Amino acid sequence: MLKVFFIGTGGGAPSRRGLPAYMVRREGLSVLMDCGEGTQITMIKNSLNVTSVDVIAITHLHADHVLGLPSLIQTMGMYDRKEKLTILGPKGLEDLLKQTFERTYFRPNFPVEFASRFEGKDITVEPFETCHVVPSQGYLIEERESVNLDADRLRREGVTDWRIMRALKEGKQVSWEGRTLKPEDYLFRRPGLRVAYTGDTRPCDKVVKAVREVDLLLHDSTFEHGVDASEYGHSTSTEAATVAREAQVKRLALIHISSRYRDTSEMLKQARRVFPMSFIPEDLSFLNLRG
Ligand SMILES: [Zn+2]
Ligand SMILES: [Zn+2]
């Protein structure tokens, strides 16, 4: 199961909605995507543990996506974190953090690794190119496929020896009471869940390709239909929904909502006309994804 926390669903300037921050969690591993100003305060006030974040993935260096990061890392240091922190992001992020730490007399007392992608035991985080006005990348979080043994079937056939079960799970053929048990007859595979986050982007083919058939897409939806969102490299709700439909994703979360919209019902209606499985998450809501 993946749990997706919508921490800050606004964009540009803070409003009722906070600045961009989204967290995906799976069995103790937490990935934070973007870290706008105020992210750590929102997290702490709502009992989301800032020190337990393992991976931070920043989409681009516009202030609303990154300015909460130096202070979040400093807080991790104050709480005496020891575990390694992996940071993914565009060129310039490492320099921005190092400069800020130097100028604010801070040195992390835990290992910080800058990487281009993350590969954990059960999860990978992979960047993909997006189409914004500055260098920018989205992220695809992918759970590993799981392989399970059909123990019920084995029991029905009278196989209860755990050594046989283990061998089958390891993909080995087993001879048993004159029969040959083949692993492919007793194993079933469950594809891993996939979540994609675009950060700020125009609707574009690169994104459609990268997010194909994901279980959940978080796509820039800064403006309502009818506004020219191209000047600042954003998308309207209708454009986000068109990307979702073309990429045949399962669900679409409209995010990076401009502070000008207090009421988002019209925006949602526009998106659902194109892609019915659209929703607009509120700050601090979450979604459980099950395979
Ligand atoms: Zn933004
Ligand atoms: Zn931006």
Side-chain angles (χ1 to χ4, degrees):
M1 185 184 87
L2 291 180
K3 193 163 186 161
V4 182
F5 294 86
F6 303 93
I7 299 169
T9 60
S15 57
R16 183 169 73 75
R17 297 175 185 271
L19 295 175
Y22 304 92
M23 190 160 71
V24 177
R25 191 180 275 170
R26 187 193 188 280
E27 279 174 18
L29 186 98
S30 298
V31 181
L32 179 68
M33 296 186 291
D34 278 340
C35 190
E37 185 190 339
T39 298
Q40 65 161 337
I41 296 169
T42 308
M43 288 177 74
I44 290 165
K45 278 189 176 162
N46 293 283
S47 309
L48 290 170
N49 190 346
V50 292
T51 56
S52 71
V53 173
D54 304 281
V55 181
I56 298 178
I58 299 293
T59 56
H60 65 297
L61 299 187
H62 274 152
D64 56 328
H65 295 255
V66 72
L67 281 195
L69 185 54
S71 44
L72 180 101
I73 296 173
Q74 297 205 13
T75 301
M76 288 175 168
M78 280 175 207
Y79 282 122
D80 223 13
R81 178 193 174 108
K82 293 278 175 285
E83 301 78 27
K84 183 174 85 177
L85 173 68
T86 303
I87 300 179
L88 317 181
K91 199 166 162 278
L93 177 63
E94 183 171 355
D95 192 43
L96 171 83
L97 288 174
K98 285 192 169 154
Q99 292 276 347
T100 311
F101 293 156
E102 200 181 308
R103 302 283 174 181
T104 53
Y105 310 100
F106 170 75
R107 185 169 305 201
N109 46 358
F110 54 93
V112 176
E113 182 186 61
F114 293 89
S116 57
R117 63 190 293 281
F118 172 80
E119 183 154 0
K121 190 164 70 70
D122 304 307
I123 261 182
T124 57
V125 185
E126 195 82 52
F128 60 88
E129 234 181 284
T130 58
C131 305
H132 195 35
V133 287
V134 298
S136 179
Q137 56 194 31
Y139 292 97
L140 176 67
I141 298 187
E142 210 163 347
E143 224 185 357
R144 225 175 276 289
E145 171 192 80
S146 64
V147 181
N148 292 305
L149 192 65
D150 192 347
D152 286 341
R153 178 173 170 185
L154 283 164
R155 254 178 251 122
R156 278 198 308 273
E157 295 181 10
V159 182
T160 51
D161 188 335
W162 64 269
R163 283 166 301 189
I164 295 178
M165 294 189 180
R166 191 178 61 186
L168 287 169
K169 184 139 196 215
E170 286 168 356
K172 293 176 191 149
Q173 210 162 278
V174 183
S175 301
W176 176 74
E177 296 194 350
R179 282 177 59 196
T180 304
L181 308 179
K182 291 186 184 152
E184 60 268 28
D185 294 337
Y186 299 95
L187 295 177
F188 54 92
R189 293 170 191 280
R190 184 181 68 79
L193 291 160
R194 297 158 76 233
V195 174
Y197 168 55
T198 63
D200 294 357
T201 190
R202 292 285 303 139
C204 68
D205 282 347
K206 283 178 191 162
V207 171
V208 172
K209 233 184 243 162
V211 307
R212 197 160 284 291
E213 293 177 5
V214 295
D215 296 279
L216 174 66
L217 169 65
L218 285 69
H219 195 289
D220 181 326
S221 167
T222 307
F223 301 111
E224 284 183 355
H225 178 63
V227 176
D228 179 10
S230 65
E231 189 182 352
Y232 299 105
H234 292 297
S235 303
T236 65
S237 57
T238 309
E239 288 169 333
T242 306
V243 170
R245 188 179 61 192
E246 279 176 26
Q248 297 178 303
V249 308
K250 296 217 175 79
R251 276 178 181 196
L252 169 66
L254 300 163
I255 44 116
H256 201 267
I257 312 292
S258 162
S259 57
R260 69 166 83 167
Y261 304 110
R262 277 198 72 76
D263 177 3
T264 51
S265 52
E266 187 50 40
M267 184 184 262
L268 182 60
K269 242 187 257 166
Q270 294 163 354
R272 284 189 173 159
R273 252 175 241 142
V274 179
F275 187 75
M277 291 303 282
S278 305
F279 66 103
I280 300 181
E282 291 297 323
D283 281 19
L284 294 166
S285 60
F286 64 87
L287 187 68
N288 288 328
L289 290 176
R290 288 169 218 275

